[in-house]
Amino acid sequence: MYSDNHRSKTNTFGKWFKRKNKRAEANHCFNEITDDSEEEAEESLDNLFVQSSEIEPCILTNELRIFVGTWNVAGRSPVGSLAVDMDEWLNLKDAADIYVLGFQEIVPLKTRNVIGAEDPTEATNWNLLVGKTLNDKYGCPWLTPTTNSISSDNYQYEKIYNNSERRTSFSGYFGIQMRDKLRTQHEDLLGGSKYKLMASKKMVGVFISVWMKKELLRKYCVSNVKVSSVACGIMGYLGNKGSVSVSMSIEGTSFCFVAAHLASGEKKGDEGRRNHQVSEIFRRTSFPRSPKDDDNPHPLTILGHDRIFWFGDLNYRLYLEDNLARYLIKKQDWKALQEFDQLRRELEDGGVFQGWREGNIEFAPTYKYSSSNCNRYSGGMPSRSGEKQRTPAWCDRILWYGKGVKQLSYFRSESKFSDHRPVSALFSIPVEVANRRMHSSRKVVPMQTVLPTIRPSQKSEQGKSSDQETKSTLLSLMTKDIEASPTIMPIL
């Protein structure tokens, strides 16, 4: 009796072991193993002890709408009736999920500002105005933004999961989490703000500010938010020219936003200086790892990101005489005018930004206007006394790099706040999202419910002992197999 039972169980286990890799998923619960039904026991073992609903794909693709804007504000503070101009520039009738704004010359480029210590006052003032514009539009009371992030080089954000999901922290600071949680609760009681300041960075007059809908922080994992700055102005290392950048990951997609202010000048060869500064920004921008980072790897350089946006006062001019340029502008013949655009030619010739894209320009050049509150370009014939002679040009540009980026619009606004007109673009971006519902749809049956149950009838003491030994050995092997299998996942 003992020998037959032992041989029967050994054969059953052997068959299951040979066939276990041929069947990937289980559809039924484990049934009892009895001496009377070897085939039934074999089929039950073959089911790998897992209850599972239909498995959905691991990765889903969602679409995000990202607004990218650039504006050279000519050293002026955000005062007066500028809120009306901001509303028009940000185009809140067609609200985006993320707003990425790049400013140039938020302070006058005087010697004391270029070589002196950084003063965050103007950056804070611009953040206050942007936050008020974004959030007041929805009738929500807006509280003070997180302005202390201006000088920080590393940010970590915690995704707020639904109650049915596991909370995953991307921050190493419990105190910061609690402070943000209390602020969120306070805002919720009052109606709450719609957008959150994610990161901002200032270098002399170049400034970047990134805002995200709060609901996205509940929906997506946002991690490894970092900033970087590169000064490549006077002597190649002063901050009157250069870039500030933000790196961040949303779920499985990495983003880099580069706000730049490049060398000015319309003399022959000045485009070469701009090209060199672009190369320097690519070479010197870095987002190094730190002990505060989570375990997910993040790109260390600009070109390591999945989706990249480069925008700002890039200062590329027109290879065209002033009077002819003004003639084509008067005719609104933007296609003919683009034939002489320096940046467009550099893109085509591969001199800079190889493989990058820019939308079709169907608006007038954005620089240089005579003064504030004026719709007339500076210079021209006859020239006014003391006025700089400048050929109009598309200095303010937005470029992108990466697969799947779709530009929905590219336009300029008509604010007369400075001698530049603000420019913006709206994009639709695919983002890879881990499908967490898959985790909750798979359940591992507790081990005690799948153990072979031996009926005690007609068993000798020796048989019982041997059966128990067989049961223990089988449990050990099954446990190792389950632990090693990548297809079996615990309930989350």
Side-chain angles (χ1 to χ4, degrees):
M1 178 88 179
Y2 160 74
S3 178
D4 291 340
N5 286 340
H6 183 75
R7 186 162 44 250
S8 172
K9 296 184 184 300
T10 301
N11 291 338
T12 298
F13 177 75
K15 291 179 181 180
W16 166 75
F17 188 83
K18 290 178 182 179
R19 295 179 54 196
K20 74 182 186 70
N21 291 322
K22 296 181 181 179
R23 302 275 303 271
E25 300 296 342
N27 299 315
H28 304 286
C29 297
F30 184 79
N31 298 319
E32 280 191 344
I33 295 179
T34 67
D35 296 334
D36 302 322
S37 181
E38 179 179 322
E39 291 182 0
E40 186 179 347
E42 179 186 346
E43 182 65 22
S44 299
L45 281 167
D46 196 32
N47 282 331
L48 295 181
F49 322 111
V50 179
Q51 292 177 327
S52 174
S53 61
E54 184 177 351
I55 303 304
E56 300 179 45
C58 293
I59 301 297
L60 300 176
T61 301
N62 289 355
E63 295 290 326
L64 287 181
R65 288 161 59 88
I66 299 181
F67 178 101
V68 178
T70 178
W71 195 0
N72 186 319
V73 295
R76 299 189 64 193
S77 297
V79 295
S81 61
L82 188 57
V84 177
D85 297 337
M86 289 290 293
D87 185 78
E88 190 240 345
W89 179 39
L90 300 182
N91 190 29
L92 294 174
K93 294 178 181 178
D94 191 17
D97 297 310
I98 300 173
Y99 282 84
V100 183
L101 306 178
F103 296 88
Q104 303 81 44
E105 297 187 45
I106 65 169
V107 296
L109 299 183
K110 298 178 180 179
T111 302
R112 59 185 176 85
N113 290 329
V114 174
I115 64 176
E118 285 287 354
D119 182 356
T121 302
E122 290 303 318
T124 301
N125 290 337
W126 280 103
N127 272 337
L128 287 169
L129 178 61
V130 172
K132 188 174 189 302
T133 304
L134 288 174
N135 291 300
D136 280 1
K137 192 69 178 178
Y138 298 91
C140 299
W142 186 68
L143 304 181
T144 304
T146 313
T147 53
N148 62 348
S149 63
I150 290 173
S151 60
S152 174
D153 288 344
N154 189 71
Y155 311 83
Q156 300 295 334
Y157 287 91
E158 179 184 76
K159 174 182 172 180
I160 305 172
Y161 287 91
N162 296 327
N163 292 334
S164 61
E165 296 180 301
R166 176 172 57 92
R167 292 178 64 88
T168 301
S169 174
F170 291 94
S171 172
Y173 296 100
F174 179 74
I176 294 176
Q177 295 173 18
M178 287 301 296
R179 183 193 64 197
D180 290 344
K181 182 177 180 180
L182 290 172
R183 180 187 291 115
T184 300
Q185 291 173 348
H186 186 196
E187 290 173 353
D188 289 343
L189 289 173
L190 297 175
S193 56
K194 191 176 183 71
Y195 289 89
K196 179 182 178 66
L197 175 62
M198 298 298 293
S200 62
K201 180 68 175 178
K202 174 185 178 293
M203 182 190 71
V204 186
V206 190
F207 175 58
I208 189 171
S209 184
V210 180
W211 298 75
M212 180 182 288
K213 277 186 178 178
K214 283 191 171 181
E215 64 188 66
L216 295 186
L217 291 173
R218 295 179 172 89
K219 186 176 181 181
Y220 300 125
C221 295
V222 181
S223 62
N224 295 319
V225 184
K226 296 175 176 290
V227 297
S228 177
S229 60
V230 172
C232 51
I234 300 171
M235 298 183 292
Y237 284 96
L238 292 186
N240 60 307
K241 294 295 187 290
S243 69
V244 288
S245 307
V246 171
S247 169
M248 65 191 302
S249 294
I250 303 177
E251 293 286 345
T253 304
S254 58
F255 291 85
C256 187
F257 305 104
V258 183
H261 191 186
L262 304 182
S264 61
E266 56 184 12
K267 300 188 303 295
K268 185 177 181 179
D270 284 341
E271 69 276 15
R273 292 197 298 134
R274 292 186 270 273
N275 291 353
H276 175 71
Q277 289 179 349
V278 170
S279 299
E280 283 294 288
I281 291 170
F282 274 121
R283 185 177 68 86
R284 291 161 53 191
T285 300
S286 64
F287 306 98
R289 290 193 63 82
S290 74
K292 304 173 186 176
D293 292 343
D294 57 45
D295 294 332
N296 298 323
H298 68 268
L300 303 180
T301 63
I302 293 175
L303 291 175
H305 292 77
D306 299 315
R307 315 282 186 265
I308 314 169
F309 298 88
W310 188 302
F311 48 99
D313 181 1
L314 307 188
N315 256 320
Y316 286 93
R317 307 302 174 91
L318 294 173
Y319 292 115
L320 198 60
E321 293 182 0
D322 181 77
N323 59 344
L324 184 53
R326 292 174 189 266
Y327 170 76
L328 292 176
I329 292 170
K330 188 175 181 179
K331 288 183 61 179
Q332 297 187 13
D333 192 346
W334 314 133
K335 185 175 182 180
L337 199 62
Q338 284 182 70
E339 295 296 321
F340 303 95
D341 176 62
Q342 286 183 352
L343 180 55
R344 186 60 58 100
R345 190 168 298 182
E346 291 296 322
L347 285 167
E348 292 173 353
D349 296 343
V352 71
F353 292 114
Q354 295 183 27
W356 288 61
R357 298 182 61 189
E358 181 186 20
N360 189 39
I361 301 175
E362 296 181 345
F363 50 82
T366 54
Y367 174 83
K368 169 179 173 52
Y369 283 88
S370 180
S371 63
S372 61
N373 299 316
C374 180
N375 267 333
R376 187 179 62 82
Y377 289 109
S378 179
M381 298 297 292
S383 179
R384 295 187 179 182
S385 176
E387 191 173 75
K388 292 182 178 180
Q389 181 69 34
R390 293 288 186 270
T391 300
W394 287 297
C395 291
D396 308 280
R397 313 289 279 270
I398 300 172
L399 311 176
W400 76 88
Y401 184 89
K403 295 181 180 179
V405 179
K406 181 180 179 181
Q407 188 180 66
L408 304 178
S409 64
Y410 192 25
F411 61 94
R412 74 172 224 172
S413 299
E414 298 306 321
S415 170
K416 301 173 185 177
F417 184 72
S418 81
D419 56 356
H420 288 251
R421 295 295 182 260
V423 173
S424 60
L426 184 64
F427 298 93
S428 176
I429 317 291
V431 172
E432 293 182 349
V433 182
N435 182 9
R436 292 178 185 84
R437 287 185 299 172
M438 181 189 71
H439 297 259
S440 60
S441 68
R442 307 189 66 183
K443 298 180 180 180
V444 176
V445 179
M447 287 300 297
Q448 48 267 49
T449 68
V450 301
L451 293 178
T453 303
I454 308 300
R455 291 183 176 176
S457 60
Q458 299 180 352
K459 292 287 190 297
S460 65
E461 290 300 320
Q462 182 181 8
K464 288 182 180 179
S465 175
S466 298
D467 289 342
Q468 186 65 35
E469 181 181 349
T470 302
K471 173 179 173 180
S472 176
T473 303
L474 179 59
L475 171 60
S476 175
L477 288 170
M478 285 163 27
T479 301
K480 289 181 180 179
D481 177 64
I482 290 172
E483 290 176 346
S485 173
T487 64
I488 297 178
M489 306 175 69
I491 300 172
L492 298 181

